Amino acid sequence: MKDLTLKPIHEKLQPILDTVLHRNAGEPEFHQAAREVLESLGRVINRHPEYSEDALIQRICEPERQIIFRVPWIDDNDQVQINRGFRVQFNSALGPYKGGIRFHPSVNVGIIKFLGFEQTFKNALTGMPIGGGKGGSDFDPKGRSDREIMRFCQSFMIELHRHIGEYVDVPAGDVGVGAREIGFMFGMYKRLNNRFEAGVLTGKGLVYGGSRARKEATGFGTVYFVRSMLNRKGTDFDGKRCVVSGSGNVAIYAIEKVLALGGKVVACSDSGGYIVDENGIDLELVKQIKEVERGRISQYVERRGDGCHYVKSGSVWDVPCEIALPCATQNELTAADAKTLIENGVIVVAEGANMPCTSAAVQQFRKAGIMFAPGKAANAGGVATSALEMQQNASRDSWSFAKTESRLEEIMSNIHDSCHETAEEYSAPGDYVLGANIAGFVRVADAMRAMGVI
Ligand code: NDP
Ligand code: 2IT
């Protein structure tokens, strides 16, 4: 049956999408991400037909290389476990492949491919010299001991090390991968290569080549992006009610920056449910539970006392707010959630996570005239600061927090302006989706055109 939520695609681009669907059967997230970019490119090829020559767009939709490997490891009960590892090296036109590694049981090649595809345009938007890639495993870190995590990371790197390098491919963290996992992987890479090659991974600990503000960068960057959107409308965060989904790396530092800029965060979540605290979320308590103890968000209510409650399962988007920041996972915010948010008076939605809003949800926001920031623009602060970490590693330098954060702030403001100006240039003022897709595409496409058919 025809899906009425889908927008028509330019006649020259439809066959490209058909090939993506056929060649990557059973990978709905990749189809969704590719369709959304192709929907935006019709206007570009009408104005610049040269971008549709030499199968340029077909090449952009086909990863340069896809690596799938076995990851055997031994658990604490002396049992052998087998997981599957992935690295999709999507596009190296602008620099070495760059993008995170995700450990989550839902990981498969389609998820990694969609993330690598998005990453290519996101990285282009940062203006930094980085190509796009993504990796991960269906390994579930929940409930595993530190030793099990270490053995898994070591086994993962024993295969991955031959495919990466400072000038080749530079992984970082993502869902389920933070400083602990990056440390274990860096240690094994260093041992296998007998080189202290700091620039091979980002998100490292500060004592061995990490960058200040990298941990905070994605969440902070998302909130800076929202500030630019609000400022353009003559307003700011002051006193506004915000809801943030997730309570991981991105969510925690998004909450921190919203609070610093004068907003009020009343709810956040994890995969078990959500908490509402009308007095405003106590961020230190969330950090203690999620960052230090690796516990469940439900514990917040037991420890915080009166004035807050926990809702098991359910949708955090039922909590009324003016600013919604989905910072957990793909397709977590549905059309029904979008409808509720709109009815409750939301004015801005910005994706801290990668593709957290379904296509139907995005369409509703755009139709209702809600300011909407797509992930490839709004969450680009993390990878941008990774590129700053690479810069510090290459020059054997270590910058202050203030210097790094001010670079991040400048980059986010530039990304906002370039999305906004590109949307205006293509006669779609205020359409950040179109602006981000076109601005990212043009940079990658120009580099690929200059390099010939490769
Ligand atoms: P974390 O692992 O630190 O946190 C993930 C959070 O999302 C946790 O609260 C987790 O709940 C929740 N979550 C994860 N999967 C699901 C699911 N299937 N259903 C419901 N909730 C879920 O990851 P990050 O904060 O790093 O990443 C969050 C998002 O941001 C991802 O989309 C990631 O790709 C994106 N991103 C991350 C960047 C980074 O630098 N880390 C940069 C740019 C984007 P629980 O604790 O129960 O597992
Ligand atoms: O989705 C992302 O941009 C990330 N997980 C961060 C990637 C990186 O290389 O810092």
Side-chain angles (χ1 to χ4, degrees), residues 102 104 122 142 173-176 214 218 246-250 269-271 290 296 327-329 352-354 379:
R102 173 178 294 192
H104 193 274
K122 181 196 303 190
K142 272 205 192 75
D174 192 80
V175 173
R214 173 62 188 89
T218 311
S247 49
N249 174 262
V250 179
S269 63
D270 67 12
S271 58
K290 297 302 285 189
R296 310 305 306 153
C327 295
T329 193
N354 285 307
N379 71 40

Side-chain angles (χ1 to χ4, degrees), residues 6-238:
L6 300 179
K7 284 170 55 180
I9 296 227
H10 190 285
E11 58 181 13
K12 280 193 178 162
L13 299 173
Q14 186 62 48
I16 301 177
L17 180 61
D18 291 342
T19 303
V20 168
L21 302 186
H22 172 75
R23 193 175 262 164
N24 305 281
E27 298 175 7
E29 293 84 4
F30 181 44
H31 300 171
Q32 183 182 339
R35 167 178 271 281
E36 191 218 270
V37 169
L38 291 174
E39 273 175 11
S40 299
L41 296 187
R43 293 180 198 227
V44 185
I45 61 169
N46 280 340
R47 200 175 290 184
H48 299 285
E50 63 275 18
Y51 285 127
S52 60
E53 288 168 8
D54 290 336
L56 175 76
I57 300 173
Q58 285 92 325
R59 282 185 283 139
I60 283 190
C61 291
E62 180 65 17
E64 290 178 16
R65 190 174 298 106
Q66 304 180 53
I67 302 151
I68 303 184
F69 52 96
R70 178 170 70 202
V71 189
W73 57 283
I74 297 173
D75 70 17
D76 286 348
N77 298 321
D78 221 20
Q79 296 296 306
V80 175
Q81 301 281 346
I82 307 288
N83 285 97
R84 186 171 277 190
F86 303 89
R87 187 74 185 166
V88 173
Q89 299 179 329
F90 222 108
N91 193 299
S92 60
L94 294 176
Y97 309 106
K98 180 90 197 83
I101 291 179
R102 173 178 294 192
F103 292 163
H104 193 274
S106 63
V107 163
N108 58 42
V109 70
I111 301 248
I112 299 299
K113 221 181 277 174
F114 115 67
L115 290 164
F117 183 76
E118 289 284 287
Q119 197 82 48
T120 299
F121 302 100
K122 181 196 303 190
N123 294 4
L125 282 172
T126 67
M128 316 288 286
I130 42 179
K134 199 82 183 191
S137 173
D138 56 4
F139 171 68
D140 186 358
K142 272 205 192 75
R144 292 293 178 190
S145 68
D146 280 358
R147 287 299 167 100
E148 289 180 315
I149 299 285
M150 179 178 75
R151 288 195 292 274
F152 178 81
C153 289
Q154 290 178 336
S155 181
F156 187 82
M157 186 50 84
I158 285 171
E159 173 58 33
L160 188 68
H161 85 282
R162 64 185 103 252
H163 307 293
I164 63 174
E166 183 184 352
Y167 298 106
V168 181
D169 183 353
V170 183
D174 192 80
V175 173
V177 178
R180 174 181 62 167
E181 292 73 20
I182 293 291
F184 293 145
M185 288 192 268
F186 185 76
M188 185 49 91
Y189 182 88
K190 184 170 77 61
R191 185 173 178 199
L192 289 165
N193 289 283
N194 193 30
R195 281 159 66 88
F196 196 105
E197 189 186 331
V200 68
L201 292 174
T202 60
K204 299 181 294 296
L206 286 184
V207 287
Y208 66 94
S211 173
R212 291 187 179 81
R214 173 62 188 89
K215 183 175 67 174
E216 295 82 358
T218 311
F220 279 19
T222 300
V223 173
Y224 284 138
F225 196 96
V226 173
R227 183 179 63 182
S228 295
M229 294 168 96
L230 291 168
N231 288 350
R232 200 172 60 76
K233 295 278 182 191
T235 179
D236 58 26
F237 271 97
D238 225 10

